[in-house]
């Protein structure tokens, strides 16, 4: 049974939130706590206090003190004795998945998906609310309140994923939603009393794909939906740029020949005007379509012709970005996997047709749908508190949006619709 409380959450935030000007001793203590937490989260072999002391170079007393603090704030739990190596058997440590929850809201133009994710990366409840006339801000606040009803004390942090440009908790510009300069994070923080972040679609997908990335692995992720965007991760960390707008490539001109399509931004030849899902599949496509319906749209002759144009335009953008970034791989995410192997094969052929001298070949693949839609936003929610110490690398398959299932950890009846 969870023993989460607002006091426990406050204690955790005081220890880890990097705000103000903490003294050097506080910074060192926080860094050591994060080192111990990261070791427990990432080490495949059983971790004990002795293992932490040995791997970090800290004294046994310090390691034990760190573990006691992590248990106190509900991040770590003891799970029983480890295998004997002679003498008294040590106690095994694991991430506590039952105390704290992360709230995720994924906002589309006509629907809001919400979920509760535990600190093991598992989705323990989820629900969807459709809004055929469009999503208003109040609908997002209401959806988050509903998913957290009865578990407010367990909510550690929240994240809202939206299409468009975001920075510092503000939706700077979302053409799809019609939101501009909206302080969404502060509105949610006032509603649920937990620190909240705002992330755009492609950054969330990049964080999902980077959940198991090794240190120094550079990955370029491109999101295809009603819009087009890109993101870059280094290891498990998002590279956001000087103003938080890195990857806004949708309105970069890449088509110069022939009858260029007019983009919704008013210009012509933009990457989005050729390679967005809407441009390739026609007006019938929306981001609310499931994979099956999207695949049906992609199977028509007209769509195949437009997909070839889109692949050519996207290959040009990828060639430039890959030459600049030298990534280990390129991931095409969003709704793109529903386009099937034909589009991916065409994109690879177009990319390889005119290789830039001096550059290395880069593998191109689709995003991994099996990781689920909530992992990236959940990681974004934790980043301001725990950095990448708790990577949330192992989510179980998420429930389909709809009535929330009976979760393993206690969740009140209000969630089970």
């Amino acid at each position: 049974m969870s023993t989460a409380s607002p006091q426990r959450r406050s204690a955790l935030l005081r220890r880890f939130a990097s705000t103000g000007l903490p003294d050097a001793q506080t910074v060192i203590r926080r860094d050591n706590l994060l080192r111990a937490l990261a070791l427990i989260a990432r080490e495949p072999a059983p971790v004990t206090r002795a293992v932490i002391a040995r791997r970090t170079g800290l004294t046994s007393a310090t390691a034990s003190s760190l573990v006691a603090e992590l248990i106190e704030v509900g991040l770590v739990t003891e799970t029983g004795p480890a295998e004997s190596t002679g003498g008294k058997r040590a106690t095994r440590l694991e991430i506590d998945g039952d105390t704290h929850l992360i709230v995720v809201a994924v906002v589309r133009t006509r629907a809001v998906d919400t979920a509760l994710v535990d600190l093991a990366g598992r989705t323990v409840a989820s629900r969807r609310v459709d809004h055929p006339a469009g999503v208003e801000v109040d609908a997002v606040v209401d959806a988050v309140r509903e998913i957290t009803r009865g578990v407010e004390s367990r909510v550690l942090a929240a994240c809202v994923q939206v299409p468009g440009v975001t920075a510092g908790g503000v939706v700077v510009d979302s053409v799809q939603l019609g939101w501009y300069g909206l302080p969404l994070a502060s509105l949610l923080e006032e509603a649920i009393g937990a620190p909240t972040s705002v992330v755009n679609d492609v950054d969330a997908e990049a964080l999902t794909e980077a959940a198991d990335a090794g240190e120094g692995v550079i990955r370029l992720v491109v999101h295809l939906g009603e819009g087009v965007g890109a993101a870059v991760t280094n290891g498990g960390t998002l590279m956001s740029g000087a103003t938080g707008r890195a990857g806004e490539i949708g309105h970069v001109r890449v088509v110069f020949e022939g009858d260029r399509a007019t983009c919704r931004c008013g210009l012509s030849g933009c990457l989005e005007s050729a390679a967005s899902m809407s441009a390739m599949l026609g007006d019938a496509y929306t981001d609310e379509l499931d994979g099956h319906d999207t695949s049906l749209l992609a199977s028509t002759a007209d769509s195949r012709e437009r997909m070839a144009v889109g692949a050519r335009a996207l290959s040009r953008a990828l060639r430039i970005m890959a030459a600049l970034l030298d990534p280990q791989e390129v991931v095409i995410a969003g709704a793109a996997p529903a386009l099937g192997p034909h589009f991916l094969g065409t994109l690879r052929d177009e990319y390889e047709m005119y290789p830039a001298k001096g550059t290395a070949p880069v593998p191109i693949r689709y995003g991994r749908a099996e990781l689920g839609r909530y992992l990236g936003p959940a990681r974004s929610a934790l980043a301001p508190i725990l950095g990448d110490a708790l990577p949330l690398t192992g989510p179980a398959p998420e429930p389909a949006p709809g009535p929330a299932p009976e979760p393993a950890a206690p969740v009140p009846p209000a969630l089970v619709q």
Side-chain angles (χ1 to χ4, degrees):
M1 183 75 173
S2 169
T3 57
S5 67
Q7 294 76 21
R8 204 173 204 186
R9 180 176 65 193
S10 296
L12 188 155
L13 294 175
R14 283 197 305 271
R15 285 169 170 83
F16 291 102
S18 54
T19 57
L21 297 172
D23 57 66
Q25 186 174 357
T26 301
V27 172
I28 292 171
R29 178 71 174 182
R30 184 175 64 213
D31 288 348
N32 283 335
L33 284 166
L34 291 175
R35 288 171 66 195
L37 181 65
L39 185 61
I40 296 168
R42 288 182 166 86
E43 180 62 41
V47 176
T48 64
R49 290 166 176 81
V51 170
I52 293 173
R54 185 166 62 250
R55 295 285 296 275
T56 62
L58 299 170
T59 66
S60 297
T62 299
S64 294
S65 174
L66 294 174
V67 170
E69 197 163 342
L70 292 172
I71 292 174
E72 177 191 351
V73 296
L75 291 177
V76 169
T77 186
E78 297 177 319
T79 59
E83 291 185 13
S84 176
T85 56
K88 183 180 178 181
R89 298 178 71 178
T91 302
R92 182 180 302 174
L93 304 168
E94 293 182 2
I95 297 301
D96 184 348
D98 293 334
T99 297
H100 299 293
L101 294 169
I102 306 161
V103 182
V104 172
V106 179
V107 182
R108 304 299 184 201
T109 54
R110 285 170 286 277
V112 180
D113 292 331
T114 51
L116 298 175
V117 180
D118 68 17
L119 295 192
R122 300 171 298 206
T123 299
V124 298
S126 68
R127 65 195 303 268
R128 166 171 287 187
V129 181
D130 293 313
H131 297 275
V135 175
E136 301 292 339
V137 177
D138 288 347
V140 179
V141 176
D142 289 344
V144 170
R145 280 183 173 143
E146 184 61 30
I147 197 76
T148 59
R149 192 182 305 279
V151 293
E152 293 88 347
S153 65
R154 296 178 60 192
V155 175
L156 175 60
C159 180
V160 186
Q161 176 184 327
V162 299
V165 181
T166 66
V170 175
V171 182
V172 177
D173 183 348
S174 177
V175 175
Q176 295 95 321
L177 298 172
W179 296 353
Y180 305 94
L182 178 68
L184 188 55
S186 62
L187 294 176
L188 264 297
E189 286 173 358
E190 183 178 348
I192 63 173
T196 303
S197 61
V198 180
V199 66
N200 68 24
D201 288 336
V202 65
D203 287 350
E205 289 171 334
L207 287 170
T208 296
E209 292 290 337
D212 57 356
E215 185 176 352
V217 172
I218 306 296
R219 180 180 282 113
L220 170 63
V221 177
V222 177
H223 170 92
L224 301 186
E226 292 183 40
V228 178
V232 180
T233 53
N234 184 344
T237 305
L238 189 69
M239 300 169 65
S240 59
T243 64
R245 302 190 189 194
E248 291 299 325
I249 61 168
H251 300 286
V252 174
R253 194 178 192 186
V254 293
V255 181
F256 299 93
E257 70 275 30
D259 295 328
R260 296 181 298 274
T262 300
C263 185
R264 61 181 169 177
C265 73
L267 301 177
S268 64
C270 295
L271 177 60
E272 186 174 300
S273 71
S276 69
M277 299 293 285
S278 302
M280 293 188 290
L281 303 186
D283 294 338
Y285 174 81
T286 72
D287 283 340
E288 275 71 50
L289 286 184
D290 61 23
H292 176 264
D293 289 341
T294 302
S295 295
L296 290 178
L297 288 178
S299 65
T300 69
D302 287 346
S303 291
R304 287 294 181 98
E305 187 175 336
R306 291 191 296 261
M307 286 160 59
V309 173
R312 188 175 307 117
L314 182 56
S315 72
R316 293 173 178 176
L318 290 181
R319 202 173 293 120
I320 294 169
M321 290 188 288
L324 177 65
L325 299 168
D326 189 25
Q328 269 87 346
E329 65 175 355
V330 172
V331 178
I332 311 300
L339 298 177
H342 177 76
F343 176 78
L344 187 62
T346 303
L347 176 61
R348 288 168 171 165
D349 290 344
E350 290 285 350
Y351 181 86
E352 296 167 1
M353 191 176 296
Y354 299 102
K357 298 294 184 183
T359 61
V362 181
I364 303 173
R365 65 168 174 86
Y366 281 139
R368 294 175 287 177
E370 67 272 14
L371 294 177
R373 74 179 70 190
Y374 303 123
L375 180 59
R379 297 187 70 222
S380 180
L382 281 186
I385 305 169
L386 301 176
D388 63 352
L390 194 57
L392 305 179
T393 55
E398 66 184 58
E406 188 71 33
V411 173
L415 285 182
V416 186
Q417 301 288 320

